[in-house]
């Protein structure tokens, strides 16, 4: 739903289907796997529920870390490509 701004301006948020699929897969699959692993490993339903909450958070953190890591490497590679070099004295 758009948020009304000053002077009758609207802000429209576009959510792509791929983002919805990614969110649902992280939440449902990650949460279910976190529950099953924690419940079986620790023999407690309460700890299984905690695992189902923590697993999607951990998955999102790892994905953010990987994205930052790849952006940093791509940024460094572009800098090295366009770095000005001293002319060759030969």
């Amino acid at each position: 739903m758009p948020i009304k701004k000053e002077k009758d301006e609207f802000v429209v948020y576009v959510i792509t289907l791929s983002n919805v699929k990614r969110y649902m897969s992280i939440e449902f699959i990650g949460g279910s796997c976190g529950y099953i692993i924690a419940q079986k490993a620790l023999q407690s339903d309460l700890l299984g529920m905690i695992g189902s909450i923590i697993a999607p958070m951990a998955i999102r953190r790892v994905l953010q870390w990987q994205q930052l890591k790849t952006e940093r490497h791509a940024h460094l590679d572009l800098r090295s490509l366009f770095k000005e070099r001293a002319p060759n004295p030969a």
Side-chain angles (χ1 to χ4, degrees):
M1 184 185 226
I3 300 170
K4 191 169 183 179
K5 291 282 198 173
E6 296 178 23
K7 299 180 184 176
D8 296 329
E9 294 177 358
F10 289 96
V11 176
V12 178
Y13 295 99
V14 178
I15 302 172
T16 60
L17 184 60
S18 62
N19 286 338
V20 173
K21 288 179 185 177
R22 183 177 179 176
Y23 174 79
M24 291 181 70
S25 63
I26 289 172
E27 288 297 320
F28 292 141
I29 297 171
S32 298
C33 290
Y35 174 80
I36 292 169
I37 291 169
Q39 196 266 339
K40 297 289 183 187
L42 304 171
Q43 298 295 320
S44 171
D45 289 333
L46 179 62
L47 295 175
M49 285 188 278
I50 293 171
S52 72
I53 295 169
I54 292 174
M57 289 183 199
I59 292 169
R60 275 190 241 108
R61 288 277 173 104
V62 168
L63 291 174
Q64 287 174 352
W65 175 74
Q66 285 179 343
Q67 184 178 6
L68 287 173
K69 187 178 174 184
T70 56
E71 286 175 0
R72 194 174 330 134
H73 284 298
H75 191 64
L76 290 175
D77 291 342
L78 288 175
R79 280 186 185 172
S80 64
L81 286 175
F82 297 111
K83 188 176 183 181
E84 291 185 23
R85 297 183 180 150
N88 195 354

